[in-house]
Amino acid sequence: TTNNLLSAGQMALEGRVDIEALRTLHATTCADFDLPDHTRDEVMGLLEECEDMLNGVRLIQELSPKSLDQLVSYGERCSVRIMAARLNQIGIPA
């Protein structure tokens, strides 16, 4: 996911925004583990924010170190929601 986000940042600098691979990966993971709808909704909401951010990068043609940290954080924030939901699902409070 981190590498995909870094690539998406570079693509945005080149004028293209495409996070479909990230959407597919996270949606498939949620479906494979049969996670609650609210988890999938939270993850998809984060990816929408990520896409908005990438559109901003595309428009201003700049990806500062602070923005890059923000971009990479979307992967971490999606993953932690998926992991917590899975742990809760198998009986481990998270």
Side-chain angles (χ1 to χ4, degrees):
T1 299
T2 301
N3 288 341
N4 287 341
L5 287 164
L6 293 171
S7 294
Q10 187 59 45
M11 284 176 46
L13 286 172
E14 297 167 1
R16 297 174 292 140
V17 173
D18 181 8
I19 63 164
E20 286 310 308
L22 288 165
R23 276 196 183 99
T24 300
L25 171 67
H26 288 84
T28 301
T29 302
C30 288
D32 287 350
F33 288 118
D34 195 28
L35 298 180
D37 289 341
H38 70 86
T39 299
R40 184 186 182 285
D41 293 345
E42 286 179 27
V43 169
M44 292 301 120
L46 285 169
L47 292 175
E48 285 178 28
E49 284 180 33
C50 178
E51 186 172 37
D52 289 344
M53 181 188 173
L54 288 166
N55 276 312
V57 169
R58 178 182 57 81
L59 289 170
I60 65 171
Q61 290 293 292
E62 181 181 40
L63 186 58
S64 69
K66 183 177 179 180
S67 295
L68 192 57
D69 288 344
Q70 176 73 24
L71 178 61
V72 172
S73 80
Y74 283 104
E76 296 162 356
R77 293 188 290 165
C78 289
S79 295
V80 76
R81 281 163 176 77
I82 291 170
M83 190 67 183
R86 180 65 179 143
L87 288 171
N88 285 326
Q89 192 179 50
I90 62 172
I92 300 170

